[in-house]
Coordinates of all heavy atoms in Angstrom, one line a residue:
M715 N 64.8 -11.6 -28.3 CA 64.1 -11.4 -29.5 C 63.9 -12.7 -30.3 O 64.9 -13.5 -30.4 CB 64.9 -10.3 -30.4 CG 64.2 -10.0 -31.6 SD 65.0 -8.5 -32.3 CE 64.1 -8.4 -33.8
D716 N 62.7 -12.9 -30.8 CA 62.4 -14.1 -31.5 C 63.0 -14.1 -32.9 O 62.6 -13.2 -33.7 CB 60.9 -14.3 -31.5 CG 60.5 -15.6 -32.2 OD1 61.3 -16.4 -32.6 OD2 59.3 -15.8 -32.3
P717 N 63.9 -15.0 -33.3 CA 64.5 -15.0 -34.6 C 63.5 -15.3 -35.7 O 63.7 -14.9 -36.9 CB 65.6 -16.0 -34.6 CG 65.3 -16.9 -33.4 CD 64.5 -16.1 -32.4
K718 N 62.3 -15.9 -35.3 CA 61.3 -16.2 -36.3 C 60.3 -15.1 -36.5 O 59.5 -15.2 -37.4 CB 60.5 -17.5 -35.9 CG 61.4 -18.7 -35.9 CD 60.6 -19.9 -35.4 CE 61.5 -21.1 -35.3 NZ 60.7 -22.3 -34.9
A719 N 60.4 -14.0 -35.8 CA 59.5 -12.9 -35.8 C 59.4 -12.3 -37.2 O 58.3 -11.8 -37.6 CB 59.8 -11.9 -34.7
N720 N 60.5 -12.3 -37.9 CA 60.5 -11.6 -39.2 C 60.4 -12.5 -40.4 O 60.6 -12.1 -41.5 CB 61.8 -10.8 -39.3 CG 61.9 -9.6 -38.4 OD1 60.8 -9.0 -38.1 ND2 63.0 -9.3 -37.9
I721 N 60.1 -13.8 -40.1 CA 60.0 -14.7 -41.2 C 58.5 -14.7 -41.7 O 57.6 -15.0 -40.9 CB 60.3 -16.2 -40.8 CG1 61.8 -16.2 -40.3 CG2 60.1 -17.2 -41.9 CD1 62.3 -17.5 -39.7
P722 N 58.3 -14.3 -42.9 CA 56.9 -14.3 -43.4 C 56.3 -15.7 -43.6 O 57.0 -16.6 -43.9 CB 57.0 -13.6 -44.8 CG 58.4 -13.9 -45.2 CD 59.2 -14.0 -44.0
T723 N 55.0 -15.8 -43.5 CA 54.3 -17.0 -43.8 C 54.3 -17.2 -45.4 O 54.6 -16.3 -46.1 CB 52.8 -17.0 -43.4 OG1 52.2 -16.0 -44.1 CG2 52.7 -16.8 -41.9
L724 N 54.0 -18.4 -45.8 CA 54.0 -18.6 -47.3 C 52.9 -17.7 -47.9 O 53.1 -17.2 -49.0 CB 53.7 -20.1 -47.6 CG 54.9 -21.0 -47.3 CD1 54.4 -22.5 -47.5 CD2 56.1 -20.7 -48.1
Y725 N 51.8 -17.5 -47.2 CA 50.7 -16.6 -47.6 C 51.3 -15.2 -47.8 O 51.1 -14.6 -48.9 CB 49.6 -16.6 -46.5 CG 48.6 -15.5 -46.7 CD1 47.6 -15.7 -47.6 CD2 48.7 -14.3 -46.0 CE1 46.6 -14.7 -47.8 CE2 47.7 -13.3 -46.2 CZ 46.7 -13.5 -47.1 OH 45.8 -12.5 -47.2
E726 N 52.0 -14.7 -46.8 CA 52.6 -13.3 -46.9 C 53.6 -13.3 -48.0 O 53.7 -12.3 -48.8 CB 53.2 -12.9 -45.6 CG 52.2 -12.7 -44.5 CD 52.9 -12.6 -43.1 OE1 54.0 -13.2 -42.9 OE2 52.3 -12.0 -42.3
W727 N 54.5 -14.3 -48.1 CA 55.6 -14.3 -49.1 C 55.0 -14.3 -50.5 O 55.5 -13.7 -51.4 CB 56.4 -15.6 -48.9 CG 57.5 -15.7 -49.8 CD1 58.8 -15.1 -49.8 CD2 57.6 -16.5 -51.0 NE1 59.5 -15.5 -50.8 CE2 58.8 -16.3 -51.6 CE3 56.6 -17.3 -51.6 CZ2 59.2 -17.0 -52.8 CZ3 57.0 -18.0 -52.8 CH2 58.3 -17.8 -53.4
A728 N 53.8 -15.0 -50.7 CA 53.2 -15.1 -52.0 C 52.6 -13.7 -52.4 O 52.4 -13.5 -53.6 CB 52.2 -16.2 -52.1
G729 N 52.2 -12.9 -51.5 CA 51.7 -11.6 -51.8 C 50.3 -11.3 -51.3 O 49.7 -10.3 -51.6
G730 N 49.7 -12.2 -50.5 CA 48.4 -11.9 -49.9 C 47.2 -12.4 -50.7 O 47.3 -13.1 -51.7
M731 N 46.0 -12.1 -50.2 CA 44.8 -12.7 -50.7 C 44.5 -12.4 -52.1 O 44.1 -13.2 -52.9 CB 43.6 -12.3 -49.8 CG 42.3 -13.0 -50.2 SD 42.5 -14.8 -50.0 CE 42.5 -14.9 -48.2
K732 N 44.8 -11.2 -52.6 CA 44.5 -10.8 -54.0 C 45.3 -11.7 -54.9 O 44.7 -12.2 -56.0 CB 44.8 -9.3 -54.2 CG 44.5 -8.9 -55.6 CD 43.0 -8.9 -55.8 CE 42.7 -8.4 -57.2 NZ 41.4 -8.8 -57.7
V733 N 46.5 -12.1 -54.6 CA 47.3 -13.0 -55.4 C 46.6 -14.4 -55.5 O 46.5 -14.9 -56.5 CB 48.7 -13.1 -54.9 CG1 49.5 -14.2 -55.6 CG2 49.4 -11.7 -55.0
F734 N 46.2 -14.9 -54.3 CA 45.6 -16.2 -54.3 C 44.3 -16.2 -55.1 O 44.0 -17.1 -55.8 CB 45.4 -16.7 -52.9 CG 46.6 -17.1 -52.2 CD1 47.4 -16.3 -51.5 CD2 47.1 -18.4 -52.4 CE1 48.6 -16.7 -50.9 CE2 48.3 -18.8 -51.8 CZ 49.0 -17.9 -51.1
E735 N 43.5 -15.1 -55.0 CA 42.2 -15.1 -55.7 C 42.5 -15.0 -57.2 O 41.8 -15.6 -58.0 CB 41.4 -13.9 -55.2 CG 40.8 -14.1 -53.8 CD 40.1 -13.0 -53.3 OE1 40.1 -11.9 -53.9 OE2 39.5 -13.1 -52.2
T736 N 43.5 -14.2 -57.6 CA 43.9 -14.1 -59.0 C 44.4 -15.4 -59.6 O 43.9 -15.8 -60.7 CB 44.9 -13.0 -59.2 OG1 44.4 -11.7 -58.8 CG2 45.3 -12.9 -60.7
L737 N 45.3 -16.1 -58.9 CA 45.8 -17.3 -59.3 C 44.7 -18.4 -59.4 O 44.7 -19.2 -60.4 CB 46.9 -17.8 -58.4 CG 48.2 -17.0 -58.5 CD1 49.2 -17.4 -57.4 CD2 48.9 -17.1 -59.9
T738 N 43.8 -18.4 -58.5 CA 42.7 -19.4 -58.5 C 41.8 -19.1 -59.7 O 41.3 -20.0 -60.3 CB 42.0 -19.4 -57.2 OG1 42.9 -19.6 -56.1 CG2 40.9 -20.5 -57.1
D739 N 41.5 -17.9 -59.9 CA 40.7 -17.5 -61.1 C 41.4 -18.0 -62.4 O 40.7 -18.6 -63.2 CB 40.5 -16.0 -61.1 CG 39.6 -15.6 -62.3 OD1 38.5 -16.1 -62.4 OD2 40.0 -14.7 -63.1
L740 N 42.7 -17.8 -62.5 CA 43.4 -18.2 -63.7 C 43.3 -19.7 -63.8 O 43.2 -20.3 -64.9 CB 44.8 -17.7 -63.7 CG 45.0 -16.2 -63.9 CD1 46.4 -15.8 -63.6 CD2 44.5 -15.7 -65.2
F741 N 43.5 -20.4 -62.7 CA 43.5 -21.9 -62.7 C 42.1 -22.4 -63.2 O 42.0 -23.3 -64.0 CB 43.8 -22.4 -61.3 CG 43.5 -23.8 -61.1 CD1 44.2 -24.8 -61.7 CD2 42.4 -24.2 -60.3 CE1 44.0 -26.2 -61.6 CE2 42.1 -25.6 -60.1 CZ 42.9 -26.5 -60.8
Y742 N 41.0 -21.8 -62.6 CA 39.7 -22.4 -63.0 C 39.3 -22.0 -64.5 O 38.5 -22.7 -65.1 CB 38.6 -21.9 -62.0 CG 38.6 -22.9 -60.9 CD1 39.2 -22.6 -59.7 CD2 38.0 -24.1 -61.0 CE1 39.2 -23.5 -58.6 CE2 38.0 -25.1 -60.0 CZ 38.6 -24.7 -58.8 OH 38.6 -25.6 -57.8
K743 N 39.9 -21.0 -65.0 CA 39.7 -20.7 -66.5 C 40.3 -21.9 -67.3 O 39.7 -22.3 -68.3 CB 40.4 -19.4 -66.9 CG 39.6 -18.2 -66.4 CD 40.2 -16.9 -66.8 CE 39.4 -15.8 -66.3 NZ 40.0 -14.5 -66.5
K744 N 41.5 -22.5 -66.8 CA 42.0 -23.6 -67.5 C 41.2 -24.9 -67.2 O 40.9 -25.7 -68.2 CB 43.5 -23.9 -67.0 CG 44.5 -22.9 -67.4 CD 45.9 -23.3 -67.1 CE 46.2 -23.3 -65.7 NZ 47.7 -23.6 -65.4
V745 N 40.7 -25.0 -66.0 CA 39.8 -26.2 -65.7 C 38.6 -26.2 -66.6 O 38.2 -27.2 -67.1 CB 39.4 -26.1 -64.2 CG1 38.2 -27.1 -63.9 CG2 40.6 -26.4 -63.3
L746 N 38.0 -25.0 -66.8 CA 36.7 -24.9 -67.6 C 37.0 -25.1 -69.1 O 36.0 -25.2 -69.9 CB 36.0 -23.6 -67.3 CG 35.4 -23.6 -65.9 CD1 34.8 -22.2 -65.6 CD2 34.4 -24.7 -65.6
K747 N 38.2 -25.1 -69.5 CA 38.6 -25.3 -70.9 C 39.1 -26.8 -71.1 O 39.3 -27.2 -72.3 CB 39.7 -24.4 -71.4 CG 39.2 -23.0 -71.5 CD 40.4 -22.1 -72.0 CE 39.9 -20.6 -72.0 NZ 41.1 -19.7 -72.4
D748 N 39.2 -27.5 -70.0 CA 39.7 -28.9 -70.1 C 38.6 -29.9 -70.3 O 37.6 -29.9 -69.6 CB 40.4 -29.2 -68.8 CG 41.1 -30.5 -68.8 OD1 42.2 -30.6 -69.3 OD2 40.5 -31.5 -68.4
E749 N 38.7 -30.7 -71.3 CA 37.7 -31.7 -71.7 C 37.4 -32.7 -70.6 O 36.2 -33.2 -70.5 CB 38.0 -32.3 -73.0 CG 39.2 -33.2 -73.0 CD 39.5 -33.8 -74.4 OE1 39.6 -33.0 -75.3 OE2 39.7 -35.0 -74.4
L750 N 38.3 -33.0 -69.8 CA 38.1 -34.0 -68.7 C 37.4 -33.4 -67.5 O 36.5 -33.9 -66.9 CB 39.4 -34.7 -68.3 CG 39.3 -35.7 -67.2 CD1 38.5 -36.9 -67.7 CD2 40.7 -36.2 -66.9
L751 N 37.9 -32.2 -67.1 CA 37.4 -31.5 -65.9 C 36.2 -30.6 -66.1 O 35.4 -30.4 -65.2 CB 38.5 -30.7 -65.2 CG 39.7 -31.6 -64.8 CD1 40.8 -30.7 -64.2 CD2 39.3 -32.6 -63.8
E752 N 36.0 -30.1 -67.2 CA 34.9 -29.1 -67.5 C 33.6 -29.7 -67.1 O 32.8 -29.0 -66.5 CB 35.0 -28.6 -68.9 CG 34.0 -27.5 -69.2 CD 32.6 -28.0 -69.7 OE1 32.6 -29.2 -70.2 OE2 31.7 -27.2 -69.7
P753 N 33.2 -30.9 -67.5 CA 31.9 -31.4 -67.2 C 31.6 -31.5 -65.7 O 30.5 -31.3 -65.2 CB 31.9 -32.8 -67.8 CG 32.9 -32.8 -68.8 CD 34.0 -31.8 -68.4
I754 N 32.7 -31.7 -64.9 CA 32.5 -31.8 -63.4 C 32.4 -30.4 -62.8 O 31.6 -30.2 -61.9 CB 33.7 -32.5 -62.8 CG1 33.8 -33.9 -63.3 CG2 33.7 -32.4 -61.3 CD1 35.1 -34.6 -63.0
F755 N 33.1 -29.4 -63.3 CA 33.2 -28.1 -62.7 C 32.3 -27.0 -63.3 O 32.2 -25.9 -62.8 CB 34.6 -27.6 -62.6 CG 35.4 -28.4 -61.6 CD1 36.2 -29.5 -62.0 CD2 35.4 -28.1 -60.2 CE1 36.9 -30.2 -61.1 CE2 36.1 -28.8 -59.3 CZ 36.9 -29.9 -59.7
K756 N 31.7 -27.3 -64.5 CA 30.9 -26.3 -65.2 C 29.7 -25.8 -64.4 O 29.3 -24.7 -64.7 CB 30.5 -26.8 -66.6 CG 29.4 -27.9 -66.5 CD 29.1 -28.3 -67.9 CE 28.1 -29.5 -67.9 NZ 27.9 -29.9 -69.3
H757 N 29.2 -26.5 -63.4 CA 28.1 -26.0 -62.7 C 28.5 -25.4 -61.3 O 27.6 -25.2 -60.5 CB 27.1 -27.2 -62.5 CG 26.6 -27.8 -63.7 ND1 25.8 -27.0 -64.6 CD2 26.8 -29.0 -64.3 CE1 25.5 -27.8 -65.6 NE2 26.1 -28.9 -65.5
M758 N 29.8 -25.2 -61.1 CA 30.2 -24.7 -59.8 C 29.6 -23.2 -59.6 O 29.4 -22.5 -60.6 CB 31.7 -24.7 -59.7 CG 32.4 -23.7 -60.5 SD 34.2 -23.9 -60.3 CE 34.8 -23.1 -61.8
S759 N 29.4 -22.9 -58.4 CA 28.8 -21.6 -58.1 C 29.9 -20.5 -58.4 O 31.1 -20.8 -58.5 CB 28.4 -21.5 -56.6 OG 29.6 -21.4 -55.8
A760 N 29.4 -19.3 -58.5 CA 30.3 -18.2 -58.7 C 31.2 -17.9 -57.6 O 32.3 -17.4 -57.8 CB 29.4 -16.9 -59.0
E761 N 30.9 -18.4 -56.4 CA 31.7 -18.3 -55.2 C 32.8 -19.4 -55.1 O 33.7 -19.2 -54.3 CB 30.9 -18.2 -54.0 CG 29.9 -17.0 -53.9 CD 30.7 -15.7 -53.8 OE1 31.5 -15.6 -52.9 OE2 30.5 -14.8 -54.6
H762 N 32.7 -20.4 -55.9 CA 33.6 -21.6 -55.7 C 35.0 -21.2 -55.8 O 35.8 -21.6 -54.9 CB 33.3 -22.6 -56.8 CG 34.1 -23.8 -56.6 ND1 33.8 -24.8 -55.7 CD2 35.2 -24.2 -57.3 CE1 34.8 -25.8 -55.8 NE2 35.6 -25.4 -56.7
Q763 N 35.4 -20.4 -56.8 CA 36.8 -20.0 -56.9 C 37.3 -19.3 -55.7 O 38.5 -19.5 -55.3 CB 37.0 -19.2 -58.2 CG 36.8 -20.1 -59.4 CD 36.5 -19.2 -60.6 OE1 35.3 -19.1 -61.0 NE2 37.5 -18.7 -61.3
K764 N 36.5 -18.4 -55.2 CA 36.9 -17.6 -54.1 C 37.1 -18.5 -52.8 O 38.0 -18.3 -52.1 CB 35.9 -16.5 -53.8 CG 36.4 -15.5 -52.7 CD 35.6 -14.2 -52.7 CE 34.3 -14.4 -51.9 NZ 33.5 -13.2 -51.7
H765 N 36.2 -19.4 -52.7 CA 36.3 -20.4 -51.5 C 37.6 -21.2 -51.6 O 38.3 -21.4 -50.6 CB 35.1 -21.3 -51.5 CG 33.8 -20.7 -51.2 ND1 33.7 -19.7 -50.2 CD2 32.6 -20.8 -51.7 CE1 32.4 -19.4 -50.1 NE2 31.7 -20.0 -51.1
V766 N 38.0 -21.6 -52.8 CA 39.2 -22.4 -53.0 C 40.4 -21.5 -52.7 O 41.3 -21.9 -52.1 CB 39.3 -22.9 -54.5 CG1 40.6 -23.6 -54.7 CG2 38.2 -24.0 -54.7
A767 N 40.4 -20.2 -53.2 CA 41.5 -19.3 -52.9 C 41.6 -19.1 -51.4 O 42.7 -19.1 -50.8 CB 41.2 -18.0 -53.6
H768 N 40.5 -19.0 -50.7 CA 40.5 -18.8 -49.2 C 41.1 -20.0 -48.5 O 41.8 -19.9 -47.6 CB 39.1 -18.5 -48.7 CG 38.6 -17.1 -49.1 ND1 37.4 -16.7 -48.9 CD2 39.3 -16.1 -49.8 CE1 37.2 -15.4 -49.3 NE2 38.3 -15.1 -49.9
F769 N 40.7 -21.2 -49.0 CA 41.2 -22.5 -48.5 C 42.7 -22.5 -48.6 O 43.4 -22.8 -47.6 CB 40.5 -23.7 -49.1 CG 41.1 -25.0 -48.6 CD1 40.7 -25.5 -47.4 CD2 42.0 -25.7 -49.4 CE1 41.2 -26.7 -47.0 CE2 42.6 -26.9 -49.0 CZ 42.2 -27.4 -47.8
I770 N 43.2 -22.3 -49.8 CA 44.7 -22.4 -50.0 C 45.4 -21.4 -49.2 O 46.4 -21.7 -48.6 CB 45.0 -22.3 -51.5 CG1 44.4 -23.4 -52.3 CG2 46.5 -22.2 -51.8 CD1 44.4 -23.3 -53.8
A771 N 44.9 -20.2 -49.2 CA 45.5 -19.1 -48.4 C 45.6 -19.4 -46.9 O 46.6 -19.2 -46.3 CB 44.8 -17.8 -48.7
E772 N 44.5 -20.0 -46.4 CA 44.4 -20.3 -45.0 C 45.4 -21.4 -44.7 O 46.1 -21.3 -43.7 CB 43.0 -20.8 -44.6 CG 42.8 -21.0 -43.2 CD 41.4 -21.3 -42.8 OE1 40.4 -20.8 -43.5 OE2 41.2 -22.1 -41.8
V773 N 45.5 -22.4 -45.5 CA 46.5 -23.5 -45.3 C 47.9 -23.0 -45.3 O 48.8 -23.5 -44.5 CB 46.3 -24.6 -46.4 CG1 47.5 -25.6 -46.4 CG2 45.0 -25.3 -46.2
L774 N 48.2 -21.9 -46.1 CA 49.5 -21.4 -46.2 C 49.8 -20.2 -45.2 O 50.7 -19.5 -45.4 CB 49.8 -21.0 -47.6 CG 49.8 -22.1 -48.6 CD1 50.0 -21.6 -50.0 CD2 50.8 -23.2 -48.2
G775 N 48.9 -20.1 -44.2 CA 49.2 -19.1 -43.1 C 48.4 -17.8 -43.2 O 48.7 -16.9 -42.5
G776 N 47.5 -17.7 -44.1 CA 46.6 -16.6 -44.3 C 45.5 -16.6 -43.3 O 45.3 -17.4 -42.5
P777 N 44.6 -15.6 -43.5 CA 43.4 -15.5 -42.6 C 42.5 -16.7 -42.7 O 42.4 -17.3 -43.8 CB 42.8 -14.2 -43.0 CG 43.2 -13.9 -44.4 CD 44.6 -14.5 -44.5
A778 N 41.8 -17.0 -41.7 CA 40.9 -18.1 -41.6 C 39.5 -17.8 -42.3 O 38.5 -18.1 -41.7 CB 40.7 -18.6 -40.2
L779 N 39.6 -17.3 -43.5 CA 38.3 -17.0 -44.1 C 37.5 -18.2 -44.5 O 36.3 -18.2 -44.5 CB 38.6 -16.1 -45.4 CG 39.2 -14.7 -45.1 CD1 39.5 -14.0 -46.4 CD2 38.4 -13.9 -44.2
Y780 N 38.2 -19.2 -45.0 CA 37.5 -20.4 -45.4 C 36.8 -21.1 -44.2 O 35.6 -21.4 -44.4 CB 38.5 -21.4 -46.0 CG 37.9 -22.7 -46.5 CD1 37.2 -22.7 -47.7 CD2 37.9 -23.8 -45.8 CE1 36.5 -23.8 -48.2 CE2 37.2 -25.0 -46.2 CZ 36.6 -25.0 -47.4 OH 35.9 -26.1 -47.9
S781 N 37.5 -21.2 -43.1 CA 36.9 -21.8 -41.9 C 35.8 -20.9 -41.3 O 34.8 -21.4 -40.9 CB 37.9 -22.1 -40.9 OG 38.9 -23.0 -41.4
S782 N 36.0 -19.6 -41.3 CA 35.1 -18.8 -40.6 C 34.0 -18.2 -41.4 O 32.9 -18.0 -40.9 CB 35.9 -17.6 -39.9 OG 36.5 -16.8 -40.8
Q783 N 34.2 -17.8 -42.6 CA 33.2 -17.1 -43.5 C 32.6 -18.0 -44.6 O 31.5 -17.8 -44.9 CB 33.9 -15.9 -44.1 CG 34.2 -14.8 -43.1 CD 34.8 -13.6 -43.9 OE1 34.8 -13.5 -45.1 NE2 35.4 -12.7 -43.1
D784 N 33.4 -18.9 -45.1 CA 32.9 -19.7 -46.2 C 32.2 -21.0 -45.7 O 31.8 -21.8 -46.5 CB 34.1 -20.1 -47.1 CG 34.8 -18.9 -47.8 OD1 34.1 -17.8 -47.8 OD2 35.9 -19.0 -48.2
G785 N 32.1 -21.1 -44.4 CA 31.4 -22.2 -43.8 C 32.0 -23.5 -44.1 O 31.4 -24.6 -44.1
G786 N 33.3 -23.5 -44.2 CA 34.0 -24.7 -44.6 C 34.9 -25.3 -43.5 O 35.3 -24.7 -42.6
S787 N 35.0 -26.6 -43.7 CA 36.0 -27.4 -42.9 C 36.6 -28.3 -43.9 O 36.0 -28.6 -45.0 CB 35.3 -28.1 -41.8 OG 34.5 -29.1 -42.3
H788 N 37.7 -28.9 -43.5 CA 38.4 -29.8 -44.4 C 37.5 -31.0 -44.7 O 37.3 -31.5 -45.8 CB 39.7 -30.2 -43.9 CG 40.6 -31.0 -44.8 ND1 40.8 -32.3 -44.7 CD2 41.2 -30.6 -46.0 CE1 41.6 -32.7 -45.7 NE2 41.8 -31.7 -46.5
A789 N 36.8 -31.5 -43.6 CA 35.9 -32.7 -43.8 C 34.7 -32.3 -44.7 O 34.4 -33.2 -45.5 CB 35.4 -33.1 -42.4
K790 N 34.2 -31.2 -44.6 CA 33.0 -30.8 -45.4 C 33.5 -30.7 -46.9 O 32.8 -31.1 -47.8 CB 32.5 -29.4 -45.0 CG 31.2 -29.0 -45.7 CD 30.7 -27.6 -45.2 CE 29.8 -27.7 -44.0 NZ 29.2 -26.4 -43.7
M791 N 34.7 -30.1 -47.1 CA 35.2 -30.0 -48.5 C 35.4 -31.4 -49.1 O 35.0 -31.6 -50.2 CB 36.5 -29.2 -48.5 CG 37.0 -29.1 -49.9 SD 38.8 -28.8 -50.2 CE 39.6 -29.5 -48.8
L792 N 36.0 -32.3 -48.3 CA 36.2 -33.7 -48.8 C 34.9 -34.3 -49.2 O 34.7 -35.0 -50.2 CB 36.9 -34.5 -47.8 CG 38.4 -34.1 -47.6 CD1 39.0 -35.0 -46.4 CD2 39.2 -34.3 -48.8
K793 N 33.8 -34.1 -48.3 CA 32.5 -34.7 -48.6 C 31.9 -34.2 -49.9 O 31.4 -35.0 -50.7 CB 31.6 -34.5 -47.5 CG 30.2 -35.1 -47.6 CD 29.4 -34.9 -46.4 CE 28.0 -35.5 -46.6 NZ 27.1 -35.3 -45.5
K794 N 32.0 -32.9 -50.2 CA 31.5 -32.4 -51.4 C 32.2 -33.0 -52.6 O 31.6 -33.3 -53.6 CB 31.7 -30.8 -51.4 CG 30.8 -30.1 -50.5 CD 31.0 -28.6 -50.6 CE 30.1 -27.8 -49.7 NZ 30.4 -26.4 -49.7
H795 N 33.5 -33.1 -52.5 CA 34.3 -33.7 -53.7 C 34.0 -35.2 -53.8 O 34.0 -35.7 -54.9 CB 35.8 -33.3 -53.5 CG 36.0 -31.9 -53.8 ND1 35.9 -30.9 -52.9 CD2 36.4 -31.3 -55.0 CE1 36.2 -29.8 -53.4 NE2 36.5 -29.9 -54.7
F796 N 33.8 -35.9 -52.7 CA 33.5 -37.3 -52.8 C 32.3 -37.5 -53.6 O 32.2 -38.5 -54.3 CB 33.4 -37.9 -51.3 CG 33.1 -39.3 -51.3 CD1 34.1 -40.3 -51.6 CD2 31.8 -39.8 -51.0 CE1 33.8 -41.6 -51.6 CE2 31.5 -41.1 -51.0 CZ 32.5 -42.1 -51.3
L797 N 31.3 -36.7 -53.4 CA 30.0 -36.8 -54.1 C 30.1 -36.6 -55.6 O 29.2 -36.9 -56.3 CB 29.0 -35.9 -53.5 CG 28.6 -36.2 -52.0 CD1 27.7 -35.1 -51.5 CD2 28.0 -37.6 -51.9
K798 N 31.2 -36.1 -56.1 CA 31.4 -35.8 -57.5 C 32.0 -37.1 -58.2 O 32.2 -37.1 -59.4 CB 32.3 -34.6 -57.7 CG 31.7 -33.3 -57.2 CD 32.3 -32.1 -57.9 CE 31.6 -30.9 -57.5 NZ 30.2 -30.8 -57.9
H799 N 32.3 -38.1 -57.4 CA 32.9 -39.4 -58.0 C 34.1 -39.1 -58.9 O 34.2 -39.6 -60.0 CB 31.8 -40.1 -58.8 CG 30.6 -40.3 -58.0 ND1 30.5 -41.2 -57.0 CD2 29.3 -39.7 -58.0 CE1 29.3 -41.2 -56.4 NE2 28.6 -40.3 -57.0
L800 N 35.0 -38.4 -58.3 CA 36.3 -38.1 -59.0 C 37.1 -39.3 -59.1 O 37.3 -40.1 -58.1 CB 37.0 -37.0 -58.3 CG 36.3 -35.6 -58.3 CD1 37.1 -34.7 -57.4 CD2 36.1 -35.1 -59.6
R801 N 37.7 -39.6 -60.3 CA 38.6 -40.7 -60.5 C 40.1 -40.2 -60.4 O 40.3 -39.0 -60.4 CB 38.3 -41.3 -61.8 CG 36.9 -41.9 -61.9 CD 36.7 -42.7 -63.3 NE 37.3 -42.1 -64.4 CZ 36.8 -41.2 -65.3 NH1 35.5 -40.8 -65.0 NH2 37.4 -40.7 -66.3
E802 N 41.0 -41.1 -60.5 CA 42.4 -40.8 -60.4 C 42.8 -39.9 -61.6 O 43.6 -39.0 -61.5 CB 43.3 -42.0 -60.4 CG 44.7 -41.8 -60.2 CD 45.0 -41.0 -58.9 OE1 44.3 -41.2 -57.9 OE2 46.0 -40.3 -58.8
A803 N 42.2 -40.1 -62.8 CA 42.5 -39.3 -64.0 C 42.1 -37.8 -63.7 O 42.8 -36.9 -64.1 CB 41.8 -39.8 -65.2
H804 N 41.0 -37.6 -63.0 CA 40.5 -36.2 -62.7 C 41.5 -35.6 -61.8 O 41.9 -34.4 -61.9 CB 39.2 -36.3 -62.1 CG 38.1 -36.7 -62.9 ND1 37.4 -37.9 -62.7 CD2 37.6 -36.2 -64.1 CE1 36.5 -38.1 -63.6 NE2 36.6 -37.1 -64.5
R805 N 41.9 -36.3 -60.7 CA 42.9 -35.8 -59.7 C 44.2 -35.4 -60.4 O 44.8 -34.4 -60.2 CB 43.1 -36.8 -58.6 CG 41.9 -37.0 -57.8 CD 42.2 -38.0 -56.7 NE 41.0 -38.4 -55.9 CZ 40.2 -39.4 -56.3 NH1 40.5 -40.2 -57.3 NH2 39.1 -39.7 -55.5
K806 N 44.7 -36.3 -61.3 CA 46.0 -36.1 -61.9 C 45.9 -34.8 -62.8 O 46.8 -34.0 -62.8 CB 46.3 -37.3 -62.7 CG 47.7 -37.2 -63.4 CD 48.1 -38.4 -64.2 CE 49.4 -38.2 -64.8 NZ 49.8 -39.3 -65.7
R807 N 44.8 -34.7 -63.6 CA 44.7 -33.6 -64.5 C 44.6 -32.3 -63.7 O 45.2 -31.3 -64.0 CB 43.4 -33.7 -65.4 CG 43.2 -32.6 -66.3 CD 44.2 -32.5 -67.5 NE 44.4 -33.7 -68.2 CZ 43.5 -34.1 -69.2 NH1 42.5 -33.4 -69.6 NH2 43.7 -35.3 -69.7
W808 N 43.8 -32.3 -62.6 CA 43.7 -31.1 -61.7 C 45.1 -30.6 -61.2 O 45.4 -29.4 -61.3 CB 42.8 -31.5 -60.5 CG 42.3 -30.3 -59.7 CD1 41.1 -29.6 -60.0 CD2 42.8 -29.7 -58.6 NE1 40.9 -28.6 -59.1 CE2 42.0 -28.6 -58.2 CE3 44.0 -29.9 -57.9 CZ2 42.2 -27.8 -57.1 CZ3 44.3 -29.1 -56.8 CH2 43.4 -28.1 -56.4
V809 N 45.9 -31.6 -60.8 CA 47.2 -31.2 -60.3 C 48.1 -30.7 -61.5 O 48.8 -29.8 -61.4 CB 47.9 -32.4 -59.6 CG1 49.4 -32.1 -59.3 CG2 47.2 -32.7 -58.3
E810 N 48.0 -31.3 -62.7 CA 48.7 -30.9 -63.8 C 48.4 -29.4 -64.2 O 49.3 -28.6 -64.5 CB 48.4 -31.8 -65.0 CG 49.1 -33.2 -64.9 CD 48.5 -34.1 -66.0 OE1 47.6 -33.8 -66.8 OE2 49.1 -35.2 -66.1
L811 N 47.1 -29.1 -64.2 CA 46.7 -27.7 -64.5 C 47.1 -26.7 -63.4 O 47.4 -25.6 -63.7 CB 45.2 -27.7 -64.7 CG 44.6 -28.4 -65.9 CD1 43.1 -28.3 -66.0 CD2 45.3 -27.9 -67.2
L812 N 47.1 -27.2 -62.2 CA 47.5 -26.3 -61.1 C 49.0 -26.0 -61.2 O 49.4 -24.9 -61.0 CB 47.3 -27.0 -59.7 CG 47.4 -26.2 -58.5 CD1 46.4 -25.0 -58.5 CD2 47.2 -27.0 -57.2

């Protein structure tokens, strides 16, 4: 018997996709109230938050929704963010809010 068989992934341990979608929604509410980040993210699509939730969930052992349904790859995501000309202050604030 595999001793790791009963060890949940971080995705499972956290509570599944609904939890990631809820937490991401709460996070982006803070982002959109932040004077430094709001100008960058105010034009994001209605699907952006869900894509981010899917990305985080996938990285933590959840279903591959970001890769398979959201049309994403890590390289594509980096390219999109590179085009926003984010500075270190933006990155730091994003992590603080997270």
Side-chain angles (χ1 to χ4, degrees):
M715 184 167 175
D716 182 4
K718 295 180 182 179
N720 293 326
I721 298 174
T723 63
L724 290 173
Y725 168 82
E726 293 166 332
W727 181 81
M731 189 58 72
K732 184 64 180 161
V733 171
F734 285 93
E735 289 176 354
T736 299
L737 289 173
T738 304
D739 182 55
L740 293 170
F741 167 70
Y742 275 102
K743 285 180 181 175
K744 291 193 288 184
V745 167
L746 293 174
K747 290 179 183 175
D748 186 84
E749 64 186 50
L750 181 63
L751 297 178
E752 187 270 343
I754 295 168
F755 290 95
K756 68 182 176 183
H757 299 295
M758 69 184 163
S759 73
E761 295 295 307
H762 181 81
Q763 291 160 263
K764 188 165 81 170
H765 295 314
V766 172
H768 290 174
F769 175 79
I770 295 169
E772 185 172 330
V773 168
L774 297 177
L779 298 177
Y780 182 79
S781 296
S782 66
Q783 293 180 13
D784 298 339
S787 69
H788 191 249
K790 188 184 268 187
M791 181 201 32
L792 290 176
K793 184 177 180 181
K794 286 181 184 179
H795 287 82
F796 180 75
L797 297 173
K798 296 202 177 292
H799 306 287
L800 300 172
R801 298 185 324 268
E802 188 59 30
H804 296 114
R805 293 179 188 92
K806 184 178 180 191
R807 180 68 56 80
W808 195 88
V809 170
E810 288 169 354
L811 294 177
L812 190 59

